Amino acid sequence: MNAKERVLSGMRPTGRLHLGHYFGVLKNWVKMQESFECFYMSSDLHALTTDYEDTSKIDESTYEMVADWITAGINPNQAVIFKQSKVLQHSELFLILSMITPLGWLERCPTYKEQIKEIKNKDLNNYGFLGYPVLMAADILLYKASLVPVGEDQLAHLELTREIARRFNNFYGNVLIEPKECLTNTSRLVGLDGRKMSKSYGNTILLGEEDDVLKEKVRAMFTDPLKIKKDDIGHPEGCVVFSFHKMFNRDYIKRQNECKAGSVGCVLCKKELMEILSEFMRPFTVKRKEVIADKDYLQKIIDEGNQKAREVAQKTMIELRAVLKF
């Protein structure tokens, strides 16, 4: 891959991040910043699509999220960290692309259909929610990003971005770049209860979790319901504690065999996991305390990133306004 290729990715600012974010996204972001020109965005305009009734927490959530990015290893000297709403060209391009995007494309979007069914506590019958894939397309196309790190569940969104780019280019000239997917090799980390780790489920371990809280969460992890006594035969493949051992413990095969043989109990298994996770988390906890304590430092990073992002975005919009005859 060409080292000069540009990458655009972002997250909605919903507060602190957890280990699922770290293994699912952030580790890959850290790796990519070494080889590509990376733009990492706090997607606060996207947050409005579902949280439009109360915007009071978005700014603070952005600080918390960016602190986690830096804790995880995102380097502001290598990657551009910026806030979506501070680059007005996002809104401008979103409006323009909205004019040419067929309604049927948005109504067929699989994520739109799924979330309309699943999210019952919010009124999502608004244009912003229906049109958020167009805003996502604007985010990517504005920076002429040739690569977008996505999971397989997001491929439909990226294909829609390419379709919008092709439609624009067919109307006005070959200006927009059709981005390629960069499929991420992610390790799926389950939550404390065995479901997907998610703040909405309340089953997370935060990045930089305090040691006493971390250990209490391990104590509360679900274990094999059929293993009541230490010498009962265990079923590690269905045990949340073992899933963490498999991720963090180099000797997980030994633990697996001992569990199946009934030679180790769940209490000891949890105790060992506490120590392993505590050692893993310690450097993150220390670094995060330093970063989040200095809001001026975080604001400086965001302000500088906003300026760099505006410069790139404005160049793109000058080209687009020219082909639009504006």
Side-chain angles (χ1 to χ4, degrees):
M1 292 184 180
N2 191 327
K4 293 183 180 179
E5 285 186 283
R6 186 173 290 157
V7 170
L8 185 283
S9 195
M11 292 184 187
R12 294 189 185 196
T14 57
R16 293 190 61 176
L17 304 182
H18 51 68
L19 288 182
H21 293 119
Y22 177 72
F23 286 103
V25 179
L26 290 176
K27 281 189 71 175
N28 188 55
W29 279 15
V30 171
K31 183 179 179 181
M32 294 191 83
Q33 72 182 354
E34 301 292 335
S35 304
F36 303 102
E37 185 183 6
C38 294
F39 285 71
Y40 296 142
M41 172 182 70
S42 172
S43 307
D44 54 347
L45 292 177
H46 281 287
L48 291 177
T49 59
T50 55
D51 299 326
Y52 54 84
E53 292 182 359
D54 181 9
T55 61
S56 61
K57 298 179 181 178
I58 291 179
D59 265 359
E60 185 60 32
S61 293
T62 296
Y63 286 122
E64 296 283 355
M65 184 176 69
V66 171
D68 283 332
W69 291 359
I70 295 170
T71 297
I74 302 300
N75 185 345
N77 295 319
Q78 292 179 296
V80 177
I81 297 173
F82 71 102
K83 195 173 178 182
Q84 184 187 26
S85 65
K86 293 296 184 181
V87 183
L88 300 182
Q89 289 84 359
H90 284 266
S91 300
E92 182 181 4
L93 184 53
F94 171 47
L95 175 62
I96 292 170
L97 297 181
S98 295
M99 301 299 181
I100 67 166
T101 302
L103 189 59
W105 290 6
L106 302 177
E107 292 173 331
R108 289 194 299 268
C109 183
T111 307
Y112 172 74
K113 293 179 180 179
E114 290 170 11
Q115 292 193 341
I116 284 290
K117 290 180 180 179
E118 292 177 5
I119 301 176
K120 302 297 184 182
N121 61 336
K122 296 180 180 179
D123 182 5
L124 300 181
N125 293 302
N126 55 64
Y127 167 70
F129 184 74
L130 175 65
Y132 85 86
V134 184
L135 178 56
M136 189 182 83
D139 298 333
I140 297 166
L141 299 173
L142 188 59
Y143 297 92
K144 296 192 174 182
S146 56
L147 288 175
V148 180
V150 293
E152 290 187 3
D153 59 330
Q154 298 170 307
L155 288 175
H157 283 291
L158 195 59
E159 179 56 31
L160 180 56
T161 296
R162 287 193 284 262
E163 289 176 348
I164 292 172
R166 283 194 290 269
R167 187 170 171 86
F168 183 94
N169 288 340
N170 286 337
F171 284 146
Y172 308 113
N174 193 23
V175 178
L176 297 177
I177 292 176
E178 294 184 33
K180 297 175 293 183
E181 68 273 8
C182 180
L183 285 173
T184 55
N185 295 318
T186 61
S187 301
R188 186 177 182 273
L189 189 65
V190 299
L192 303 176
D193 56 3
R195 294 182 292 177
K196 176 184 177 181
M197 187 173 285
S198 169
K199 282 186 278 189
S200 63
Y201 295 149
N203 64 357
T204 65
I205 294 177
L206 299 178
L207 190 64
E209 192 85 82
E210 292 289 344
D211 198 55
D212 56 340
V213 178
L214 174 65
K215 291 180 177 179
E216 192 59 39
K217 287 186 174 182
V218 174
R219 288 190 188 96
M221 280 183 182
F222 286 19
T223 54
D224 178 4
L226 300 178
K227 187 174 174 61
I228 308 300
K229 297 179 294 184
K230 173 185 174 182
D231 55 358
D232 286 340
I233 294 174
H235 306 82
E237 63 277 358
C239 175
V240 173
V241 175
F242 178 73
S243 72
F244 276 81
H245 271 287
K246 192 172 182 180
M247 180 74 78
F248 294 95
N249 187 353
R250 294 179 181 176
D251 296 327
Y252 76 90
I253 293 178
K254 175 185 175 184
R255 271 286 168 256
Q256 174 181 271
N257 294 335
E258 290 173 340
C259 179
K260 288 181 176 180
S263 59
V264 65
C266 297
V267 173
L268 179 61
C269 208
K270 283 186 175 183
K271 185 177 180 181
E272 184 181 28
L273 181 60
M274 287 179 195
E275 299 306 316
I276 292 171
L277 283 179
S278 180
E279 182 179 354
F280 171 82
M281 193 71 77
R282 192 171 296 116
F284 293 104
T285 305
V286 172
K287 185 173 182 180
R288 193 183 193 284
K289 284 182 179 179
E290 295 174 354
V291 174
I292 197 63
D294 193 347
K295 290 288 180 64
D296 290 339
Y297 167 69
L298 288 172
Q299 189 61 58
K300 182 173 182 290
I301 288 171
I302 295 169
D303 287 343
E304 291 177 352
N306 291 342
Q307 183 57 39
K308 292 176 183 177
R310 285 190 203 105
E311 291 172 2
V312 174
Q314 182 59 21
K315 288 180 181 178
T316 301
M317 289 311 303
I318 288 173
E319 292 182 50
L320 265 59
R321 291 186 200 111
V323 298
L324 287 165
K325 312 301 182 187
F326 283 178

